[in-house]
Amino acid sequence: MDAQGRGQAGDFDPADQWVFNPSTGSYEMRLDTTADTSEPPASAPAPGGRAAAREAARRRAVPEQRGRRAAPRGGRDAKGGAGGVPQQSGPVSRRKPKPKKSKTKKALIWGGGTMAFLLVGGSVAAYLVYQHLNGNIKKVDVGENNPAVIDGPVNILVIGTDTRSGKGNGNYGDKDSVGHADTTILFHVSEDRSNATALSIPRDLITDVPDCTVKQEDGSRKTIPGERQVRFNSSLGQDGRDPGCTWNTVEKLTGLEVDHFMMADFNAVKTLSSAVGGVEVCLARDIDDPKSKLKLSAGRHKIQGEDALAFVRTRHGVGFESDLDRIKLQQQFLSSMIREMKSGGTFSNPKKMWKLSNAATDALTVDTGIGSVKKLMDLGKDLSKVDIKNITFATVPVFDNTDQVTVLLDKPKAEPLFAMVRQDVSLTEVKKKEKAAKSEEAARLKGTKADPANVRVKVLNGSGKLGAAQETVTWMQNEEGIIHSTNGQNAPSDIKKTTLEYAPNQADQARRLADSMGLPGSALKPGTVEADPMAEMTLTLGEDYKGKGVPITAPRKAPEGVQRIGADDKNVCAK
């Protein structure tokens, strides 16, 4: 009989099977229902009076550690001698139980980020009923099978679709929608796990959707042609596109490599918000939206279920009633849910843990790389290293299109923001201990700079972008005054990062070029042999090259006007 076969039909509650293990200081799910029950309970008197009962209880509570540590020879095991007769020599060991884990540590095991933070959170309770939760998860093979835990930065694409599946969802989305990318967040966790940035991508952004390959039901793969200058949300559902197509679109838009995706529909908001007991939101003014059926007065409210879904879907009654205003509501909601998860006693309450893990896994569709509870749990533990105060929600900068319905990418603001994320520059102030290697790299940028006319450099193209070397040479000569620059054509192979190789006596030239190109100290590769006076340095453009005049290194501060909020900011109220 399995765990769900015990008791009367309908009486089973998985949370009732949790027991507290004093050795680990945490709850565990006990699924073994065939354990021997012939032994009298500890509270029942044992034959022979109270003294015998106490002795029997002591023997049950303290494992015998008699005899030698190594297994005896001649067929004897650790508990007995020949013929199975227990050995009686040696004192009884009374080991102290392991110290209990703090509530903060338990909470941080789950913590991590935005919607990914929320959905992955349920996986940390995977030991509840593994097979049940594992069966909840739906997978899509997008042609990528990255490991759950990755050395380096992690980028998780979180997609909310506008399908109307589920009871009560008729008020939201397009009734005929095949499931477009209605809400999309690219959740980036830094390599050192010190910070995370969640970029919201407007659904009405006009962008290019590249070709993508979709796996068919018979196992074959079909290529779906891309489109130029269409709405971002058409990257999913339209013409049979799957999450892998949205994955490709985000990579092309941001220059970031996506590692995993998580997708959920409207029901996820309802079930997750209810599982944590409600999420607190704040309004600066009343909202009465007849379309979403949301009616809330100004002030703070704790919402869940239908009200929670209406809150993240409404846009009438806030701001300019645009999708950008709705994004602000969604960011406030997700930030609040993160705080609720961390402080709401979820991790010490078996029933809440069960509800959350069941709701989260049931809501998920993921890539095959994280297509099991075990893999999700591993990912969740990895993300748990991020402190909530260093998680920032930001919106990709856009401006209104001439049709007043769609929006266009604000490149002067968006490109520096994308560069910051690509190079792990946090949008919050994160104090880090500078390693000696980093300090040495930074020192290469300090010192005198040669006059641009005295800089000699050969440019090689390893970026994979056609004509990048000549484009850079033309820009250097016409706009930077580096007249002694030449096109070295293509590098032997494409490289990830731009590098500048130079001799010790060319350091002042290297600093001038680094200043013009916006190169980080890590890009400078000094040699050990002096160069001839007329010798050229070698600049090799890498995949981080984004165009002439675009700094290779990211700014240390987000551009002015980028909309953002911190996940730990409790004072955000929608206007």
Side-chain angles (χ1 to χ4, degrees), residues 334-454:
L334 292 173
S335 296
S336 182
M337 183 175 275
I338 292 172
R339 296 193 299 271
E340 181 66 32
M341 290 298 306
K342 186 175 179 180
S343 62
T346 300
F347 306 105
S348 59
N349 186 314
K351 289 185 181 292
K352 278 191 175 183
M353 284 285 279
W354 164 255
K355 288 180 66 176
L356 177 66
S357 56
N358 193 42
T361 53
D362 192 46
L364 280 175
T365 299
V366 300
D367 61 278
T368 53
I370 51 174
S372 72
V373 169
K374 175 64 169 61
K375 292 176 180 179
L376 281 172
M377 183 174 68
D378 291 342
L379 177 59
K381 287 181 178 179
D382 186 39
L383 301 185
S384 72
K385 301 168 187 174
V386 182
D387 193 319
I388 187 174
K389 68 181 180 182
N390 295 330
I391 300 172
T392 305
F393 289 83
T395 303
V396 172
V398 295
F399 56 85
D400 284 338
N401 199 359
T402 53
D403 60 12
Q404 300 298 307
V405 176
T406 57
V407 293
L408 302 175
L409 188 68
D410 189 344
K411 289 187 177 180
K413 293 180 181 178
E415 286 300 337
L417 179 61
F418 294 154
M420 290 180 70
V421 179
R422 286 193 298 265
Q423 298 181 31
D424 269 0
V425 179
S426 176
L427 298 187
T428 58
E429 294 294 332
V430 179
K431 294 182 179 180
K432 302 181 182 179
K433 293 182 179 180
E434 188 174 47
K435 296 180 180 179
K438 292 289 184 181
S439 179
E440 182 181 346
E441 291 171 357
R444 296 171 190 165
L445 300 173
K446 297 177 182 178
T448 58
K449 299 180 179 68
D451 186 271
N454 294 329

Side-chain angles (χ1 to χ4, degrees), residues 484-502:
H484 297 297
S485 54
T486 59
N487 183 352
Q489 303 302 322
N490 292 329
S493 61
D494 292 348
I495 62 172
K496 289 288 185 183
K497 295 183 179 295
T498 297
T499 59
L500 175 61
E501 299 173 73
Y502 60 97

Side-chain angles (χ1 to χ4, degrees), residues 76-123:
R76 302 181 184 188
D77 60 23
K79 290 186 178 181
V85 180
Q87 295 182 353
Q88 301 297 327
S89 61
V92 175
S93 173
R94 300 176 183 273
R95 296 183 180 178
K96 294 181 179 180
K98 296 180 182 179
K100 295 182 179 180
K101 296 178 182 178
S102 67
K103 291 183 179 179
T104 301
K105 186 174 182 179
K106 289 180 184 178
L108 288 179
I109 286 177
W110 180 85
T114 69
M115 188 67 168
F117 181 108
L118 302 174
L119 298 180
V120 171
S123 71

Side-chain angles (χ1 to χ4, degrees), residues 159-222:
I159 308 170
T161 70
D162 59 358
T163 54
R164 284 191 174 188
S165 62
K167 182 181 179 181
N169 291 333
N171 296 327
Y172 314 104
D174 181 357
K175 67 178 181 179
D176 299 318
S177 176
V178 292
H180 294 117
D182 193 58
T183 299
T184 305
I185 297 174
L186 180 60
F187 179 50
H188 170 84
V189 182
S190 66
E191 181 173 4
D192 63 4
R193 306 301 187 257
S194 68
N195 65 88
T197 300
L199 290 179
S200 293
I201 302 174
R203 66 174 189 180
D204 296 326
L205 172 66
I206 296 298
T207 189
D208 294 341
V209 175
D211 295 350
C212 61
T213 303
V214 175
K215 190 172 184 178
Q216 306 294 294
E217 291 184 3
D218 61 2
S220 63
R221 291 194 173 272
K222 175 184 177 182

